[in-house]
Amino acid sequence: MSWIIAIAIIVLGVVLTLIRAMLGPTAADRMVAVDSMTTITTALLVLLALYFKRYIYLDIALVYAVLAFVATLAVARYMEGGL
Amino acid sequence: MGKLSRFIFTSLVLFILWLFLTSTFRSQEVLIGLIFSLVIALFTYNSFTEKGLRNLSPRKVFCAFLYLPYFFWQMIKANFDVAYRVLHPKMPIRPGIVHVKTKMKTDLGKLVVANSITLTPGTLTLDVIDDNMLIHWINVKTDDVEKASEEIPGVFEKCLKEFLE
Amino acid sequence: MLTAIGWFLIYFGAFFLFLGALGIMRFPDVYNRLQAGTKCTTLGALSTSIGVGFLHPAWLPKTFIIALFILLTNPISSHALGRASYRSGVKLWEKSVVDKCKEFKECVEEENE
C-alpha cells in the first residue's frame, strides 16, 4: 500500500510541470518544465521497476535519462541559434 | 602526459562502469567487458582525460573523499532553502545576475566548480567566459565582484584547488 | 532496518520532486524556475533511486549508476538552458535587483541579430 502514496505524489508533480509546459509564456519556460519533467519521470520509472519487481525496467530508466539529457542539450543549442 | 597512462586510466574507468552496470562477476561478462573497455579506450583516451593515472594519486583521492560529504550537505541545505521559498506564501526572493571571478585554471576545474555552484543554495551558473562566471542568485546580498567571489565560489575553490590542480 | 531506510529515502525524494514541480509552477520567471527545477529534482531523483536500491540490495549497483548519471548531467543541462534563454533574449523578472550580464558583449551580441 505504501508504494501508491509515493507514486501519487510524484505523478502530481508531473501534472504540475505539464500544466507549466502548456501555460508557459515563452519557449524557454516550456523547455525548463519539460526538462524537470524528464528527471521526475526517471524517478517514476525506477519506482515502477520496484512495483513490478522487474530488474530490466531499470535499463529503461537509464536510457530515458540519457536520451532526455541529449534532447535538452539539442533544444538549448537550437534556442541559442547554434544548430 | 604519457599516452599509456591516459589509456590505462580511461579503460579502468570504463571497466568499473561496466562492472556496476552488469553487477555480476561471471567470467564471460567480465571478459567481454574487459575487451570492450580496452577497445573503446583506444579510440577515446585522447579526449577523455588529460592527466591520466595522476588523477588517482592518494592525496587527490583523500581530498575528493573530504569534499563529497560537504557537497552533499550543501545540496540538502539548498533543497530546504528552495522548499522554504516555494512554500512561503509571499515568496521571499530577490533575484539578480551577479558576476564573480574564479581562480580555477583548467577546464575540468571550471566544470566542477560550475556544477557545484548550481547545486548549492540559491545560485545557478548561467555562463562561463574565460575566468568570469555569471551567476543567477535567488537572494542577492551584494553586487560587488570581490564580495560575491568571496561569498559564492570561495568555499568550494578552497576544497577543490587541492585535488584538481 | 534496510527497508525502513529505503522507504524513508523514497518518501524524502518524492516530497522534493513534488516541491520542485510546485516551484516551477509558482516562480515568476525562467531563471527562478530553473533554480527550483534543477536543485529539487536532482536531489529527489537521487534519493528515490538510492532508496529503491536499499529495498532490493541486488539492484543497488544499477540504481547507483542512475543516480550518478543524474547528478552529473542535470546541472549541465540546466546551465545550457539558462545560457540559451539569456542569449535568445528572455527578460529577467521586473523586480530583479541587478543584471551584470549586460556588461559582457558575448551575452548580448546575439540578442541584437
Side-chain angles (χ1 to χ4, degrees):
Chain A
M1 207 42 213
S2 46
W3 56 270
I4 203 168
I5 305 170
I7 289 183
I9 296 173
I10 297 179
V11 166
L12 210 59
V14 172
V15 170
L16 278 179
T17 50
L18 203 59
I19 293 173
R20 175 49 72 192
M22 288 190 285
L23 288 181
T26 63
D29 284 296
R30 297 199 168 96
M31 203 51 219
V32 169
V34 169
D35 177 44
S36 300
M37 193 170 77
T38 50
T39 314
I40 297 176
T41 313
T42 311
L44 197 59
L45 284 174
V46 174
L47 271 186
L48 281 182
L50 173 73
Y51 171 56
F52 288 112
K53 297 215 167 30
R54 296 274 167 84
Y55 179 69
I56 201 78
Y57 285 10
L58 288 179
D59 290 315
I60 299 173
L62 191 59
V63 172
Y64 188 78
V66 175
L67 288 182
F69 173 59
V70 174
T72 309
L73 281 193
V75 174
R77 291 294 293 173
Y78 173 69
M79 273 163 50
E80 213 172 306
L83 199 73
Chain B
M1 203 53 209
K3 279 184 180 174
L4 187 66
S5 144
R6 291 198 290 175
F7 172 69
I8 292 174
F9 180 70
T10 312
S11 43
L12 203 65
V13 171
L14 288 174
F15 185 58
I16 290 171
L17 194 67
W18 172 271
L19 282 185
F20 268 97
L21 272 177
T22 54
S23 55
T24 163
F25 282 107
R26 286 218 305 273
S27 54
Q28 300 130 331
E29 303 252 12
V30 171
L31 192 66
I32 284 287
L34 199 60
I35 292 169
F36 272 105
S37 51
L38 285 177
V39 169
I40 294 173
L42 193 63
F43 290 111
T44 58
Y45 73 91
N46 218 353
S47 53
F48 186 79
T49 173
E50 281 178 354
K51 289 189 178 157
L53 283 177
R54 274 199 301 174
N55 281 329
L56 292 179
S57 72
R59 195 162 130 259
K60 289 189 176 183
V61 175
F62 179 68
C63 286
F65 269 103
L66 277 187
Y67 175 65
L68 277 180
Y70 174 71
F71 171 69
F72 277 110
W73 171 240
Q74 288 289 326
M75 212 168 122
I76 291 170
K77 248 170 61 181
N79 275 277
F80 280 105
D81 183 61
V82 172
Y84 166 70
R85 288 179 206 284
V86 168
L87 291 177
H88 197 286
K90 284 181 192 155
M91 275 199 299
I93 56 176
R94 274 180 85 221
I97 296 178
V98 295
H99 164 212
V100 304
K101 283 204 178 298
T102 172
K103 296 189 200 75
M104 307 302 276
K105 298 283 189 302
T106 57
D107 283 347
L108 181 67
K110 281 176 198 164
L111 173 78
V112 176
V113 167
N115 275 6
S116 305
I117 285 173
T118 300
L119 288 176
T120 46
T123 49
L124 176 86
T125 316
L126 279 188
D127 211 338
V128 182
I129 303 164
D130 297 333
D131 64 341
N132 306 303
M133 278 187 181
L134 292 160
I135 289 174
H136 182 263
W137 204 350
I138 206 168
N139 188 16
V140 177
K141 289 178 194 145
T142 168
D143 61 347
D144 187 53
V145 177
E146 304 284 320
K147 277 183 195 160
S149 309
E150 278 294 308
E151 191 84 28
I152 304 174
V155 194
F156 288 111
E157 280 177 350
K158 274 175 215 150
C159 303
L160 286 173
K161 220 165 168 52
E162 281 293 309
F163 87 99
L164 283 176
E165 311 236 321
Chain C
M1 188 60 200
L2 275 185
T3 320
I5 296 177
W7 279 116
F8 171 74
L9 283 177
I10 288 176
Y11 277 107
F12 188 74
F15 174 66
F16 275 114
L17 287 174
F18 175 71
L19 275 184
L22 195 67
I24 285 177
M25 206 52 214
R26 284 197 67 194
F27 277 157
D29 75 344
V30 178
Y31 308 100
N32 291 320
R33 279 177 200 147
L34 208 49
Q35 293 238 3
T38 309
K39 292 188 195 23
C40 286
T41 54
T42 307
L43 186 71
L46 202 94
S47 144
T48 309
S49 36
I50 297 287
V52 170
F54 270 110
L55 289 185
H56 277 257
W59 293 5
L60 195 56
K62 189 159 261 179
T63 53
F64 181 74
I65 287 285
I66 295 176
L68 189 71
F69 189 79
I70 288 173
L71 184 67
L72 287 182
T73 59
N74 224 346
I76 297 176
S77 63
S78 83
H79 161 69
L81 271 178
R83 176 180 141 126
S85 52
Y86 197 92
R87 291 192 178 191
S88 67
V90 177
K91 294 281 178 294
L92 283 168
W93 188 37
E94 64 264 26
K95 283 183 196 163
S96 298
V97 188
V98 54
D99 184 4
K100 281 283 174 78
C101 220
K102 283 179 198 151
E103 294 169 13
F104 287 86
K105 69 175 191 310
E106 286 93 340
C107 283
V108 281
E109 185 170 58
E110 305 199 15
E111 217 178 305
N112 300 329
E113 281 175 11

